Amino acid sequence: VEKRNLPSHFIKSCPKREFTCMYCNFKATYEVVSNDHWPQCSFYPVPCPNACGIQAIERGDIEAHLLQCPLEEVECDFIHTGCGTKLPRQDMEKHVEESTQKHMALMSATSLRSSREFEKKLQEQRQEFEQRLQEQQKDSEDKLQTQRDEFTKALQVQNQEIQQSLSEKDQEIRELSNQLGEVQQQLQEKEDEIKQVREQLQEEMEKKDQEIRE
């Protein structure tokens, strides 16, 4: 660069000159702003990607613009019924008007399909409920049977203990009866002995009386 052109070069064409983005006031060298910053600057003006005619939209507003851009491809409002048509937004209203019967048929089919799916789901829930109910009933019956078996076993054990206790008491009673019989026999023998002694004493007394009278 010629020396006489340096001032103009520094101001207008030097890539290293200080430069401020005119869209967002970001400051750096012209080289950095033009090569690195502008391709991502949210305020940099860009044309509509659908070429709808608008040439200067801030990059950060592109998404908002596409929500109303007449050339943005959109799905039919009846997509949930099975209509897979995609058209520019400006043509979708005509499609909806011309496809009323098609959409009604799709809605009817969707409603029928939903009804069948609901019935199927309801049937599955009913079967699941019945299965759970059967499992709970079986579980309750098993628990009841277990409790019944445990109670019966406890009664049998208790009955065996009572029978054994009664048998032991019967044995004790028999032993006591035998002992009582022996005691009674001994008493009878003693009574017989006493009776004999009395009879002997009576005889002796009579003899004494006879001797005295004689």
Side-chain angles (χ1 to χ4, degrees):
V1 179
E2 294 181 2
K3 186 175 181 180
R4 61 189 179 84
N5 294 329
L6 282 177
S8 176
H9 169 74
F10 287 145
I11 296 174
K12 297 182 179 181
S13 58
C14 179
K16 302 296 184 182
R17 70 185 184 276
E18 183 177 327
F19 190 81
T20 300
C21 174
M22 67 284 292
Y23 306 110
C24 68
N25 295 324
F26 173 78
K27 292 182 179 181
T29 65
Y30 178 82
E31 184 177 42
V32 170
V33 172
S34 60
N35 294 333
D36 300 330
H37 172 67
W38 278 344
Q40 61 183 0
C41 177
S42 298
F43 298 94
Y44 190 86
V46 294
C48 171
N50 295 325
C52 71
I54 300 179
Q55 299 298 320
I57 306 171
E58 291 183 358
R59 182 178 282 113
D61 292 337
I62 285 293
E63 291 186 5
H65 167 72
L66 293 179
L67 293 176
Q68 59 185 4
C69 176
L71 297 185
E72 175 70 3
E73 188 175 74
V74 295
E75 296 176 336
C76 176
D77 291 340
F78 292 87
I79 185 173
H80 63 281
T81 64
C83 181
T85 301
K86 292 183 178 181
L87 293 171
R89 181 176 281 106
Q90 64 183 7
D91 299 329
M92 186 55 67
E93 183 177 355
K94 182 179 180 181
H95 162 72
V96 172
E97 292 177 354
E98 294 177 347
S99 305
T100 301
Q101 292 184 351
K102 174 185 175 181
H103 291 158
M104 291 297 292
L106 288 172
M107 289 178 63
S108 177
T110 300
S111 177
L112 180 60
R113 184 168 57 252
S114 298
S115 177
R116 289 176 178 174
E117 290 176 353
F118 177 77
E119 290 178 357
K120 181 180 178 181
K121 186 175 181 180
L122 185 63
Q123 181 65 23
E124 291 175 351
Q125 291 178 345
R126 183 183 295 109
Q127 291 176 351
E128 181 181 357
F129 175 76
E130 291 176 351
Q131 183 177 357
R132 290 176 58 186
L133 181 61
Q134 290 175 356
E135 291 175 353
Q136 290 177 356
Q137 288 177 343
K138 186 177 183 302
D139 185 58
S140 298
E141 290 174 357
D142 291 342
K143 288 181 179 180
L144 184 61
Q145 183 62 40
T146 300
Q147 293 176 350
R148 187 184 294 111
D149 293 341
E150 291 177 352
F151 180 71
T152 301
K153 184 177 179 180
L155 283 179
Q156 291 174 348
V157 171
Q158 186 177 9
N159 185 55
Q160 290 176 355
E161 292 176 351
I162 292 174
Q163 293 296 331
Q164 183 177 356
S165 178
L166 289 175
S167 178
E168 292 174 355
K169 294 298 181 182
D170 289 341
Q171 181 65 26
E172 291 178 1
I173 291 172
R174 285 194 295 271
E175 291 177 357
L176 290 174
S177 296
N178 292 334
Q179 292 176 2
L180 181 59
E182 292 176 357
V183 171
Q184 288 177 343
Q185 184 177 358
Q186 292 176 0
L187 286 175
Q188 185 63 43
E189 292 175 355
K190 293 297 181 182
E191 288 179 354
D192 291 341
E193 290 178 1
I194 292 172
K195 183 178 180 182
Q196 290 178 359
V197 171
R198 284 179 178 176
E199 289 177 351
Q200 291 176 358
L201 289 174
Q202 184 65 32
E203 290 178 356
E204 291 179 0
M205 288 178 64
E206 289 177 353
K207 287 181 180 180
K208 293 291 182 181
D209 288 341
Q210 183 67 30
E211 290 176 357
I212 292 172
R213 282 196 296 271
E214 292 177 353

